[in-house]
Structure formats: structure tokens, C-alpha cells
Amino acid sequence: MSMENELQILWAAVVAYVLAGVTAVIGVILGKRPERTVLALSVAGLALHASSIGLRWERLGHGPFITMFEILSSNVLSLMLAYTLAYWRIPRIRASAAIVLPLMFVMLGWLMVAHPGEGHYPPTYNTPWLYIHIGLGKVFLGAVLVAVGVSCVILLRRAGIGLRRLTQLPGDRQLDELAFRCMAIGLVFHSLMLIAGAIWAQDAWGRYWDWDPLETWAFVTWLTVAFTLHARVAFRVSPAAHATMILAVFVIAFLTFFGVPFVSMTPHQGAV
Amino acid sequence: MNHDEVAPAGEGAGARMAADRSERGLLRRLASLRLTLGLLALLAVGILIAQRFEEARTWPIVVPLALLAANLLAAVATNGVFRRQTALLVFHLSLVALVLLVAAGRLTYLKGHVGITNGAGFDGELAIDERGPWHVGNLDAVRFTNDGFSVGYAPGWQRGATRNTVLWRDGDGRWQQSVIGDQEPLVLAGYRFYTTFNKGFAPTFGWQRDGATTVHGSVQLPSYPLNEFSQAAEWTPPGSRVAVWVMLDIDEVVIDPHAHSAFRLPQAYKLVVRVGDERHEMRPGDALRLPDGTLTFDGLRGWMGYRVFYDWTLPWLLAAGAVAVVSLGTHFWQKFAASPWNR
């Protein structure tokens, strides 16, 4: 199959994601609960998207982690998968889709303007540890995305926005606890990602850690997650303050995984 | 007269209790979770400083880490709740173990580079090396031979897999053969030898100094194809006073940038040799008379650049990291299983 077919399937996936997001937003605005439609559209988008990535993988012989297009595409898939799983398994937070899915539109827009051409697959990438490293990083980002979704609900309520329309969601204290748990899961998977990355780096470049920009910022991200978890315990911070810290962690993680690899000249070019 | 010597027993006990209280107060302040937050922020700043200024890579990281370790140990000593949460305690102690192992590794590590011509052996000497102050490895005793390598290229000079055959002696003195490459180092006496992108051509010579026996050696030209247009080097034969400049003039496309290809020795080439103002072109078997001996061009070979790394802490780091993550996961699992998030 040609790249054109892959892109057509990807476009179909994007349309399904956008329809899911728009339906979620309209549902909250109108006070309706089109949850099955949102879930069905998200699952359809995921299936199409996975097919597109699978075809590209088959054609190029390597996973989607070389070019910006591939990295964005695989991350949209993993983040959508993480959120769809949360949406499916935790019905009480489904209204947060009206916030999370539009957040995904930013990445979808970026994906649509990224060049879909293929890049060079370095021999140092040809190891299972890279796949493990990247997969663990995707779980981390997915967990943080769910935390961001519920944090946004807390902050919107605090700002007096959508008070009536977001009433179907649990209270701030409960959402805060859920966000905390997502961040805790994120810390575990981020730690695993660092360990798997160190194993890969030792084999690929003969050193497990070298403070290259991506390693440095990945460690700073780990520290910000640890800081957020400790701060919640040490200061018994309000849900709004905790939510703000979670958004800050997401911004740092996003810049680390999507910004640093493309301004750094070190061999550590791969992103989560 | 010392007033302490005549102080009543009750006053002495009171003073000791006050001192104990003061020590405990200090320990509690050191164990503060708020201090942990400050130190985590300090560590983040230290890391960014270390990343920005390579020459200041140690203290901005070591000081916050040492303070964090002290903060943690004080918390363990003073906080019974912390001690009772075994998994959380193990996680934090694993982090201390990781820090100590990294410190031990930095004191005893070695990293370096060496280029070895095909058919030649590693003699224990590195071209470039950097080592910790307490490095006590046995690199001088490490021996292996580079028995040739292959490197594939995709169109556009995109480097593919590297396969390097090496010969080495095992503990019983028997020769063993291994193929190392992109993910597979050769590990001898704790030293890990990794192939690198650095490789190229090496003209080999026989050098017979007047009145001495012939010795053979090679001159490793700059990495190819990275330095395709500067395949030259200056070198002085052993025991000679005459510097020899050699240049490889290749008359063919060695690695086709438009097709799948592989690193190979050129067939159509000449070796340009300059000695002072004299210029000579040599082909394999040609000899050149120098003021203090005879130089014979034996032929062209390849050379491979190796990155060398030694750190005995690697398996222990992995173990400590695994314990840390398992214990952290266990802690959260126990904590979250105890009560639902939406109660």
C-alpha cells in the first residue's frame, strides 16, 4: 500500500476524532450525554489510526518514532487510547471529554501540517529496548493527559465556568484524588521509561546517561512530577493549586518530548 | 573552676534533655517534607546549570542530592509513619542507593576512544581517555584483535548496521571469535568496547630504519565518508626524525550515495607521500628511501574506532532502579486499593 492510502486512512481517523470531540462539547453545552456516540467515534478513530500507522510500519520496516510526523501521529494514537480507556472505564469523568478532546485538536492540527515523508532509521534504534522505552513514555503521557483533563474541570469550576454543565462530574476533592492517582501512575511509568532508556543508551552509545538535552529535560520532568506529589502531601494544597501544578507538569513534559528532540543536535533524537 | 563540674545531677540531666530536644528539633527540621520540596527545586536548577555549563557538572548536582539524602535519612529516623510504609521506605532507600552507586561509578569509571586497524590488536593503550580518580581497572591486560568489519549504507549515505569481527582470549587462554556491532559491545575484564560511526582507511607500511629490523604499522586517515575530501595525515616512522605526510587519492565512488552500498576499500587509488618538498606516488609494494631508513607501502586496510567504557556499578544500578520502581508501584497499589478514588 502506498503512502497516499495511509494518509487517507489517517484523515478518516482525524475526522472521527474531531467528530468525537465536537459531539462531547455539544453534549456538555446542551446538557446531553452522548457518551456512546463519543466512545464509538473515538474507538473508530483509534482503529483507523492504528491501521494507518500499521501500514506505514509495514511499508518502512520500523516503528513511528523517526520524523515529527511519525512522532506526532503515534502520540495522538497513544494519548487518544489512554483517554478512551479512561473514558470507558471511569464513566463519571466522561464530561471531561469536552475539554480533553479539543486539547487533542492542537496535536491533530500540528500532525496535519507535518511532512509525512520518511526519515533515516539509525542502526542504534534497532533494539527492543527502544520500543519499551517509548511505550513506557507513552503510558506516562497518557496518565498525565487524564490528570490534565480532570484538572481542567477543577480549574474551570474554580473560574466559575460551566458550573451547571459540569455538575455531572464528581466533586473537586474526588477529581483531585483521581488526578493524584494518575500522576502517581505517571511517576511509575516515567521512572520505568528512564530505566529502559538508560539500558538502550548504554547499548547504543556506550553510556547510560550523558545529560544530553532530552535526558536532562526528561529528568527535570520526573522531578516536577515528584515535586507535585510531595507538594500535595506537604502543603495539603487545594484541588485548584494541585490542578495548576499538574498543568505545569504537562507543559514541561510536552515541551520535553515534542520540543527538545527537534532543537537538540545530540544523537538522542527519538521522542516518546 | 568549671561550673559544669559542680552542677547538681538534676541540672545535668536537664541540660542533656534540653540538648536531646534540640537535636531532635534539628533532625525534625532536617526531615521536613517542605525542605524536600525546596531541595527538589534546587536539584532541578542544579541539573539545568550542569547541562548548560559542562565544566560545572558536578557540584550543582552533588550538593542538592547530598542534602536530599540527608533529608530522607532524617525523615526515616524521625517519622514513624514513613517507616511503617515499607514499600515507600524501600523506594526512597533505593533512590539513596542509586545516588551512592552513581557516585561510586563516577569515582571509578573510565571512558575513552581507540582506533584499531583491521588485523591489528588492541595493546591496552587508548587514544583519548577520561577516568575517575579511583579507577583501578586492568585495561593494560586487555587484548583483542579487530578481524575486519562491514557497514551497510542506504541511499543518501545513511549508515546501516555495523558488524565487526573480533578475536579475543578467554580465561583459559583460548582464542574466541565474536561479532560485535551497534547494540553488541565486546566486554573484556569489565571494559566495554563499542563500535562507532568512526572508521576509515589505513595505509600500512613496513619501516626499516637503517641497521634495524623492519617494523610494520599503519596510519589511520580521518573518518570516512565523514571526511571524504580530507583523507590525509602526517606521521613520523618509529625512531625517525623525518615527518611523512600521506594522502589517499581515491579515483572511484566508494560508497554510492544513490544506491544501497557498503563500506569497502577502494580499488582505484594512489597514495601520495610528501617528505619535505618531495612528492611521491606509491602503490602497494613500492618502497621509498628516506634519510634514515626505507619505507615500504604494504597496502590499504580499514580501521574501526571504538568507544571504551568501564563502570562496575552498571548491574547494581539496574538492580537498584528495578527495586525502586517495584517498590513505588507496590506502595501506590496498596494505597489506592485501600480506598476508591470517588468515595
Side-chain angles (χ1 to χ4, degrees), chain A residues 90 120 123-124 174 178 181 184 192 195 202-203 205-206 208 211 213 216-217 219 223 227 230-231 233 235, chain B residues 33-34 37 47-48 51 61 158-160 182-183 194 307 309 314 317-318 321 325 332 336 339 341-343:
Chain A
I90 314 173
H120 172 49
T124 48
Q174 291 168 315
L178 180 63
R181 292 184 180 202
L192 284 168
I195 292 171
Q202 182 66 54
D203 285 343
W205 304 306
Y208 64 87
W211 296 114
T216 300
W217 279 99
F219 191 57
L223 285 175
F227 184 95
H230 281 92
V233 177
F235 291 103
Chain B
L33 199 49
R34 295 180 181 207
L37 287 174
I47 285 166
L48 295 177
Q51 202 258 329
I61 299 174
Q158 294 182 351
R159 188 167 54 90
D182 303 303
Q183 312 293 338
Y194 296 86
R307 178 195 294 267
F309 184 80
L314 287 181
L317 282 170
L318 181 59
V325 175
F332 284 133
F336 298 157
S339 63
W341 65 272
N342 54 354
R343 69 190 166 119

Side-chain angles (χ1 to χ4, degrees), chain B residues 90-167:
Chain B
V90 171
F91 167 67
H92 283 91
L93 293 179
S94 302
L95 292 184
V96 174
L98 276 171
V99 170
L100 293 176
L101 283 166
V102 169
R106 288 299 297 169
L107 289 169
T108 55
Y109 80 103
L110 176 143
K111 62 182 179 184
H113 293 271
V114 62
I116 302 176
T117 303
N118 290 357
F122 174 63
D123 58 4
E125 293 290 324
L126 297 175
I128 305 167
D129 77 294
E130 179 190 314
R131 59 185 77 197
W134 296 349
H135 177 73
V136 288
N138 197 18
L139 184 62
D140 291 343
V142 172
R143 292 287 182 275
F144 73 93
T145 300
N146 169 11
D147 200 34
F149 63 88
S150 66
V151 183
Y153 279 89
W157 275 2
Q158 294 182 351
R159 188 167 54 90
T162 299
R163 294 282 177 270
N164 180 199
T165 305
V166 289
L167 304 171

Side-chain angles (χ1 to χ4, degrees), chain A residues 105-150:
Chain A
F105 291 174
V106 178
M107 287 185 74
L108 288 171
W110 191 2
L111 173 62
M112 290 297 101
V113 297
H115 190 270
E118 60 194 82
H120 172 49
Y121 181 70
T124 48
Y125 280 33
N126 193 20
T127 164
W129 283 109
L130 175 63
Y131 292 77
I132 296 167
H133 172 59
I134 289 174
L136 293 165
K138 288 184 189 306
V139 178
F140 159 71
L141 269 186
V144 174
L145 180 71
V146 177
V148 165
V150 294

Side-chain angles (χ1 to χ4, degrees), chain A residues 1-260:
Chain A
M1 249 208 209
S2 66
M3 186 165 75
E4 199 173 312
N5 297 120
E6 294 159 19
L7 291 175
Q8 286 166 349
I9 297 170
L10 179 63
W11 270 103
V14 170
V15 169
Y17 291 149
V18 172
L19 284 175
V22 170
T23 307
V25 172
I26 290 173
V28 168
I29 291 171
L30 299 180
K32 308 277 186 191
R33 299 181 70 167
E35 294 173 357
R36 287 190 171 197
T37 309
V38 172
L39 187 59
L41 284 167
S42 298
V43 170
L46 283 170
L48 289 163
H49 196 167
S51 306
S52 172
I53 287 179
L55 289 169
R56 185 182 177 90
W57 193 324
E58 175 66 21
R59 181 171 62 84
L60 298 181
H62 62 73
F65 35 66
I66 303 297
T67 64
M68 177 59 102
F69 174 83
E70 290 170 354
I71 290 164
L72 282 169
S73 181
S74 64
N75 275 288
V76 168
L77 179 75
S78 60
L79 290 172
M80 278 301 299
L81 179 64
Y83 186 73
T84 304
L85 282 172
Y87 188 89
W88 172 45
R89 297 301 300 164
I90 314 173
R92 292 194 67 193
I93 65 156
R94 284 179 180 169
S96 67
I99 296 158
V100 174
L101 295 183
L103 277 179
M104 296 301 300
F105 291 174
V106 178
M107 287 185 74
L108 288 171
W110 191 2
L111 173 62
M112 290 297 101
V113 297
H115 190 270
E118 60 194 82
H120 172 49
Y121 181 70
T124 48
Y125 280 33
N126 193 20
T127 164
W129 283 109
L130 175 63
Y131 292 77
I132 296 167
H133 172 59
I134 289 174
L136 293 165
K138 288 184 189 306
V139 178
F140 159 71
L141 269 186
V144 174
L145 180 71
V146 177
V148 165
V150 294
S151 297
C152 285
V153 173
I154 293 169
L155 292 174
L156 285 174
R157 282 174 174 167
R158 167 97 175 177
I161 300 168
L163 284 175
R164 189 169 54 79
R165 297 186 175 103
L166 296 173
T167 47
Q168 56 185 292
L169 285 154
D172 283 357
R173 284 282 165 202
Q174 291 168 315
L175 289 181
D176 181 61
E177 176 63 21
L178 180 63
F180 171 73
R181 292 184 180 202
C182 289
M183 295 302 283
I185 293 168
L187 183 68
V188 172
F189 280 91
H190 196 298
S191 305
L192 284 168
M193 180 192 76
L194 292 182
I195 292 171
I199 294 170
W200 169 43
Q202 182 66 54
D203 285 343
W205 304 306
R207 87 293 186 287
Y208 64 87
W209 195 269
D210 201 35
W211 296 114
D212 77 26
L214 191 52
E215 287 169 350
T216 300
W217 279 99
F219 191 57
V220 169
T221 303
W222 188 91
L223 285 175
T224 59
V225 179
F227 184 95
T228 304
L229 295 176
H230 281 92
R232 187 171 180 268
V233 177
F235 291 103
R236 300 188 184 282
V237 293
S238 67
H242 186 219
T244 306
M245 283 193 282
I246 289 171
L247 291 189
V249 170
F250 184 70
V251 168
I252 290 171
F254 194 88
L255 291 176
T256 295
F257 295 128
F258 296 98
V260 174

